[in-house]
Amino acid sequence: MSNIKKRPEVLSPAGTLEKLKVAIDYGADAVFVGGQAYGLRSRAGNFSMEELQEGIDYAHARGAKVYVAANMVTHEGNEIGAGEWFCQLRDMGLDAVIVSDPALIVICSTEAPGLEIHLSTQASSTNYETFEFWKAMGLTRVVLAREVNMAELAEIRKRTDVEIEAFVHGAMCISYSGRCVLSNHMSHRDANRGGCSQSCRWKYDLYDMPFGSERRSLKGEIPEEYSMSSVDMCMIEHIPDLIENGVDSLKIEGRMKSIHYVSTVTNCYKAAVDAYMESSEAFYAIKDELIDELWKVAQRELATGFYYGIPTENEQLFGARRKIPQYKFVGEVVSFDTDSMTATIRQRNVIMEGDPIECYGPGFRHFEAVIKDLHDANGQKIDRAPNPMELLTISLPREVKPGDMIRACKEGLVNLYQKDGTSKTIRA
């Protein structure tokens, strides 16, 4: 391997056109979206062709790329019309499609030549020979199976020049490479054709049912028993390992997450890459701040997946969930008047006069403030704004920019549980 560090792409999820624009504004080099066919997120805000064209134009104008996930497993008849659809995507200027089914790969390569194809993580690529096989099929990038560890990743990189895309943040699937049939069995919804009902996230218990409908828990009623639910991935501390081992694209999961999540996580990984490309010292100087920032949008505990060993029961959510800090996304800046130091914001959650808040924006800009001089769209002074999406004005001590976000902070101290079982305390 060369000693020259190659800058990896920060690849963010974009479930809607709004999220696409937010991800790019907050530093994403590329985004992955779902079209209205052949994807695995039927409940995500999948893009119409008109929205996709607008998204591609928006991204390209800012030097970013757009990939469409078409990673479903096709049954008989599902492939009808795929060639025409791939041609449409190519002609719109799409940068690549992400595919797992060999039939769709052949259809795309033969009927829409010129459209770049990336192999989905669903295809379970775990060794360099597999990478070379897909290279021979004309694919330019492989999304690494999530079960690959760091040593295996390093060996793959040494033996192939195919681009490596690797997941670095977000939800993990309890099934091997996401190929789950539990949803099919439990709710007749095919996880491999876009209908996953998230059965692994349900609460389960063991029951004695001697009289038909009567049931008695053998363990006692446990309020939160997530026996199959894995914790989320977070590799922010290990960006140096990923870059040094030649990962070309750092993939963030979460097409169904909020713009609060997309903006925060993209901001963090962009800052981490920028810092490490500058120097190791620059990265380690902000590492703890990046970790604290990611906890502000965490929904579950965080771990490193398979990168440093086989996950144990500590990487699953057995029993009651530990306390995770809750930061409420309350608004997005629409404009700012520097003369009056007043921001016009689009409200997203209930806001009250006196609420402690944090304002943040692209480039990892942050400052804390308190909601003051809260006025509604008619200029009336109010103490509480209960209705989302209304325009409000507030006074701020520092300048903000359109597109900056505002989250409300709870006062006090919150324990953050680390993957090694220890905890740390931050001010929330």
Side-chain angles (χ1 to χ4, degrees):
M1 288 179 59
S2 169
N3 290 326
I4 299 174
K5 292 185 291 189
K6 179 182 177 182
R7 183 187 190 87
E9 169 187 88
V10 175
L11 176 56
S12 295
T16 64
L17 184 58
E18 178 189 32
K19 294 173 189 176
L20 178 150
K21 293 178 178 179
V22 166
I24 292 169
D25 290 347
Y26 276 77
D29 301 297
V31 294
F32 63 102
V33 309
Q36 294 185 331
Y38 310 109
L40 287 184
R41 289 289 182 270
S42 62
R43 290 176 292 159
N46 294 319
F47 284 56
S48 66
M49 285 300 188
E50 293 75 18
E51 289 172 327
L52 185 56
Q53 186 67 71
E54 183 178 344
I56 291 171
D57 292 343
Y58 189 89
H60 288 179
R62 291 157 180 79
K65 296 180 179 181
V66 179
Y67 311 136
V68 165
N71 51 347
M72 73 180 294
V73 174
T74 56
H75 287 223
E76 284 298 329
N78 292 149
E79 79 288 353
I80 295 173
E84 181 182 352
W85 185 70
F86 285 130
C87 285
Q88 282 185 278
L89 297 181
R90 178 198 61 192
D91 295 343
M92 293 167 68
L94 184 75
D95 296 284
V97 287
I98 307 167
V99 188
S100 65
D101 192 301
L104 290 180
I105 290 173
V106 171
I107 290 170
C108 183
S109 61
T110 56
E111 298 190 35
L115 178 57
E116 193 168 322
I117 305 173
H118 297 170
L119 189 72
S120 170
T121 190
Q122 238 68 29
S124 302
S125 296
T126 58
N127 59 77
Y128 83 90
E129 291 96 336
T130 299
F131 275 62
E132 289 294 291
F133 170 84
W134 290 112
K135 177 183 177 180
M137 294 292 291
L139 277 66
T140 57
R141 177 184 292 188
V142 170
V143 185
L144 201 66
R146 300 194 203 195
E147 294 77 22
V148 172
N149 63 42
M150 193 63 72
E152 292 170 328
L153 190 163
E155 190 66 18
I156 291 170
R157 177 73 292 163
K158 291 176 184 176
R159 293 174 174 267
T160 181
D161 60 358
V162 177
E163 289 186 358
I164 298 175
E165 182 178 305
F167 278 94
V168 297
H169 197 93
M172 295 284 285
C173 183
I174 202 69
S175 297
Y176 196 92
S177 289
R179 295 199 304 271
C180 178
V181 294
L182 187 62
S183 174
N184 303 54
H185 177 71
M186 302 288 286
S187 59
H188 301 287
R189 287 168 50 177
D190 193 337
N192 298 295
R193 286 195 286 172
C196 183
S197 60
Q198 302 282 306
S199 303
C200 60
R201 303 291 185 193
W202 297 357
K203 292 186 286 186
Y204 293 90
D205 201 352
L206 184 62
Y207 294 99
D208 177 14
M209 301 179 68
F211 303 111
S213 60
E214 180 185 343
R215 69 179 191 176
R216 181 173 66 252
S217 170
L218 297 181
K219 298 177 68 178
E221 292 295 338
I222 300 175
E224 303 243 18
E225 183 73 355
Y226 292 90
S227 53
M228 286 187 288
S229 189
S230 60
V231 304
D232 288 353
M233 176 185 285
C234 177
M235 287 291 289
I236 198 73
E237 295 182 65
H238 306 285
I239 291 298
D241 278 358
L242 293 164
I243 293 178
E244 295 296 336
N245 284 306
V247 172
D248 296 281
S249 181
L250 307 177
K251 189 168 193 172
I252 300 164
E253 183 277 338
R255 278 194 283 143
M256 297 177 70
K257 301 286 182 65
S258 68
I259 62 171
H260 180 212
Y261 171 92
V262 171
S263 59
T264 299
V265 179
T266 301
N267 220 5
C268 285
Y269 280 90
K270 180 69 168 180
V273 169
D274 286 347
Y276 190 67
M277 293 305 295
E278 178 184 335
S279 68
S280 296
E281 293 77 15
F283 171 77
Y284 288 106
I286 66 167
K287 178 174 70 72
D288 287 346
E289 185 180 355
L290 294 172
I291 295 168
D292 288 347
E293 183 74 4
L294 288 173
W295 276 104
K296 296 173 184 177
V297 291
Q299 296 177 318
R300 290 176 279 266
E301 293 125 276
L302 303 174
T304 55
F306 287 80
Y307 281 114
Y308 299 102
I310 302 296
T312 69
E313 68 276 8
N314 294 324
E315 281 73 56
Q316 288 179 254
L317 296 177
F318 288 107
R321 297 177 187 232
R322 300 165 185 164
K323 187 175 182 181
I324 290 177
Q326 297 296 313
Y327 286 74
K328 183 173 63 175
F329 174 42
V330 295
E332 180 183 6
V333 176
V334 175
S335 63
F336 186 76
D337 186 328
T338 54
D339 293 331
S340 64
M341 297 298 286
T342 299
T344 299
I345 65 173
R346 182 175 291 107
Q347 178 189 0
R348 296 295 183 128
N349 266 302
V350 175
I351 302 175
M352 298 180 65
E353 181 84 5
D355 278 350
I357 58 170
E358 180 181 50
C359 301
Y360 69 94
F364 213 58
R365 295 181 286 105
H366 293 77
F367 69 89
E368 296 178 351
V370 172
I371 292 289
K372 291 182 179 179
D373 301 321
L374 181 62
H375 290 77
D376 64 19
N378 298 317
Q380 296 293 319
K381 181 73 173 69
I382 56 176
D383 295 325
R384 184 175 184 272
N387 302 317
M389 302 309 291
E390 290 193 359
L391 291 178
L392 307 170
T393 60
I394 59 173
S395 294
L396 290 173
R398 291 169 58 180
E399 182 179 357
V400 289
K401 298 178 181 179
D404 285 3
M405 305 290 179
I406 301 173
R407 56 167 74 101
C409 320
K410 288 185 176 180
E411 294 182 280
L413 298 176
V414 175
N415 286 322
L416 300 185
Y417 286 81
Q418 311 301 298
K419 58 181 177 292
D420 62 1
T422 62
S423 66
K424 61 183 283 191
T425 302
I426 66 166
R427 189 177 60 77

